[in-house]
Amino acid sequence: MNGGEKGQDQLKWQCERCRCDLVTGPVTVTYMGNRFTTDLPHCPSCGMVLISEEIALGKMAQVEQMLEDK
Ligand SMILES: [Zn+2]
């Protein structure tokens, strides 16, 4: 493993299919049977959404709270 990276270049993700830069914006995803819209990096060309483990854990925690608050 190559540790030491601090993950500051999150905004340089690229779509593996199109080779275009991902943009961060509202996308609709489905989680635990609930559809919701949240800001995630996605490909403006093919619509591929990147959900890293880190993002997933943070966002999903937020979403679960949102759902519980309803
Ligand atoms: Zn793409």
Side-chain angles (χ1 to χ4, degrees):
M1 296 299 179
N2 50 355
E5 295 289 326
K6 288 202 170 176
Q8 291 196 349
D9 50 357
Q10 298 185 9
L11 297 177
K12 289 179 186 167
W13 284 318
Q14 287 191 328
C15 177
E16 290 179 7
R17 249 186 282 174
C18 320
R19 297 278 162 206
C20 59
D21 291 340
L22 301 187
V23 296
T24 299
V27 293
T28 302
V29 293
T30 305
Y31 176 68
M32 289 175 61
N34 294 282
R35 278 163 59 105
F36 59 91
T37 302
T38 188
D39 286 347
L40 286 175
H42 62 278
C43 174
S45 178
C46 71
M48 187 276 304
V49 178
L50 177 88
I51 305 185
S52 72
E53 199 172 328
E54 200 175 315
I55 290 176
L57 289 175
K59 286 287 180 187
M60 293 316 169
Q62 277 180 23
V63 167
E64 280 172 11
Q65 276 200 327
M66 264 166 42
L67 294 174
E68 281 172 12
D69 283 349
K70 260 192 204 170

